[in-house]
Amino acid sequence: MLDAFDRKLLNLMQTDTRRTAHELSEAVGLSPSACLRRLNKLRETGVIEAEIAVLSPAALGHRLSMVVEVSLERERPDIMSDFKKAMRRTPEVIQCYYVTGEVDFILIVAVQSMSDYEAFTNDFLFNNKNIKRFNTLVVMDRVKVGLAVPIE
Amino acid sequence: MLDAFDRKLLNLMQTDTRRTAHELSEAVGLSPSACLRRLNKLRETGVIEAEIAVLSPAALGHRLSMVVEVSLERERPDIMSDFKKAMRRTPEVIQCYYVTGEVDFILIVAVQSMSDYEAFTNDFLFNNKNIKRFNTLVVMDRVKVGLAVPIE
DNA sequence: ACTGAAAGTCGCGGCAC
DNA sequence: GTGCCGCGACTTTCAGT
């Protein structure tokens, strides 16, 4: 399904998509056209889900991140489903994971300021009857931020 | 510093970098050349930190994600600094946040299998004398995964 | 079936306005 | 800031392995 060439290409692409086919070809040991053909296949088959720009939070004005642990009142399927939809709709929620353990969801939230975060908690957490409890951890340092997974 | 055109461009770019200058130009109401000049400036000035591919974990073989809460033994600067460096070096650690609250760090970890995760905890958590305690939350659903922050 | 090379097409990047 | 033009990069085709 995925051979060593594909994995090399994916490893390069998940750190930088701006390399030319020629640069890729030298790195993986394949001709430029073969590299591009493989890349397009990886896009079509959904192995590459998206190609996106990573922005500097500092450059966008001082910006706060929070990790929020959320416990729902009851784990009813319809409540869960509604909550997930709401998280996907809400731009402040950068990431949302449904997890096992003492809490149900972990959110990564990005806001411009503390008052924005207060507004967010009011709108989405306090006013949500399905939420039993939530706990905010303020991010002091984004030590490592990315989406790159280890391949092989 | 950043005007409305820049913000529109950034919003488009943080969801998809494959649009052509012509497509961008229609979306933001500027000529294609103006869009490209602005984009290159945003790259040079570091507003755009990187352009990367997002891969499908499913397509890379069944893959597990964990959220790990870590508390250090003592918050000594040198210990903290060493821990941060180790997290940045470790490919399984997708993200690492230094946070306030009951725990010191939140990690997002990606592994191929439970036994890989066991190996990871042994290498980086159990064998680290500076770590007081850690708690693993297994991710059952990656409800929302991304890096896109709300702009405006 | 997939690679590699060449021809064809498209999009980027500099220059004039 | 916009529009044009040359060049570089991607796409497609085709032959070879």
Side-chain angles (χ1 to χ4, degrees):
Chain A
M1 174 75 196
L2 290 182
D3 65 9
F5 290 120
D6 289 323
R7 286 195 290 271
K8 277 191 190 179
L9 286 170
L10 292 171
N11 261 326
L12 292 165
M13 290 292 282
Q14 71 175 340
T15 57
D16 185 7
T17 54
R18 299 207 74 215
R19 280 181 270 246
T20 65
H22 184 253
E23 288 174 303
L24 292 174
S25 97
E26 290 183 343
V28 305
L30 231 59
S31 77
S33 18
C35 289
L36 290 173
R37 252 192 317 238
R38 278 164 179 267
L39 281 186
N40 282 327
K41 194 128 212 167
L42 291 168
R43 290 192 257 254
E44 283 165 22
T45 55
V47 179
I48 295 179
E49 287 183 349
E51 288 162 61
I52 64 167
V54 181
L55 308 185
S56 157
L60 301 172
H62 290 116
R63 187 173 280 281
L64 291 170
S65 297
M66 318 287 185
V67 177
V68 188
E69 304 169 336
V70 178
S71 300
L72 292 193
E73 198 58 65
R74 293 171 303 180
E75 294 197 33
R76 259 177 46 201
D78 54 334
I79 291 177
M80 286 254 314
S81 167
D82 287 352
F83 182 79
K84 288 182 183 181
K85 272 189 205 126
M87 292 303 99
R88 280 191 269 256
R89 253 190 280 113
T90 308
E92 287 87 354
V93 178
I94 306 305
Q95 298 172 27
C96 174
Y97 301 97
Y98 174 50
V99 297
T100 62
E102 299 123 40
V103 299
D104 296 321
F105 290 91
I106 299 287
L107 316 180
I108 310 287
V109 177
V111 289
Q112 298 270 13
S113 64
M114 226 10 148
S115 62
D116 283 1
Y117 183 65
E118 219 182 298
F120 169 80
T121 57
N122 278 323
D123 292 353
F124 290 91
L125 304 178
F126 279 123
N127 285 344
N128 191 328
K129 287 294 159 205
N130 296 321
I131 292 179
K132 189 200 305 179
R133 203 182 71 80
F134 72 92
N135 182 31
T136 301
L137 309 173
V138 180
V139 173
M140 298 171 70
D141 186 9
R142 298 158 76 252
V143 179
K144 185 176 192 175
V145 182
L147 296 176
V149 294
I151 304 178
E152 212 56 350
Chain B
M1 174 77 197
L2 290 183
D3 65 8
F5 291 119
D6 289 323
R7 285 194 290 271
K8 276 192 191 176
L9 285 170
L10 292 171
N11 261 326
L12 292 164
M13 290 292 283
Q14 70 176 338
T15 58
D16 184 6
T17 54
R18 289 195 32 104
R19 281 180 269 247
T20 65
H22 184 254
E23 288 172 304
L24 292 174
S25 95
E26 290 183 342
V28 305
L30 233 58
S31 74
S33 2
C35 291
L36 287 175
R37 265 196 303 102
R38 278 165 181 267
L39 280 187
N40 283 326
K41 193 123 205 169
L42 291 167
R43 289 192 256 253
E44 283 166 22
T45 56
V47 179
I48 296 178
E49 286 183 347
E51 288 162 60
I52 63 165
V54 181
L55 308 185
S56 157
L60 300 172
H62 290 115
R63 187 173 281 280
L64 292 170
S65 297
M66 317 287 185
V67 178
V68 188
E69 305 169 335
V70 177
S71 301
L72 293 193
E73 197 59 65
R74 293 170 303 182
E75 294 198 32
R76 258 176 47 198
D78 55 334
I79 291 177
M80 285 255 314
S81 168
D82 286 352
F83 182 79
K84 289 182 182 180
K85 272 189 205 127
M87 293 302 100
R88 279 190 270 257
R89 250 189 284 114
T90 309
E92 287 87 354
V93 177
I94 306 306
Q95 297 171 27
C96 174
Y97 302 97
Y98 174 48
V99 297
T100 63
E102 300 123 39
V103 299
D104 296 318
F105 290 91
I106 298 288
L107 316 181
I108 310 287
V109 177
V111 289
Q112 298 268 14
S113 64
M114 225 10 147
S115 61
D116 283 0
Y117 183 66
E118 217 182 300
F120 168 80
T121 57
N122 279 325
D123 293 352
F124 290 91
L125 303 179
F126 279 123
N127 285 344
N128 190 329
K129 288 294 160 206
N130 296 320
I131 292 178
K132 190 200 303 181
R133 203 183 71 79
F134 71 91
N135 183 31
T136 301
L137 310 172
V138 180
V139 173
M140 297 170 70
D141 186 9
R142 298 158 74 253
V143 179
K144 185 177 191 175
V145 182
L147 296 175
V149 294
I151 304 179
E152 210 55 351

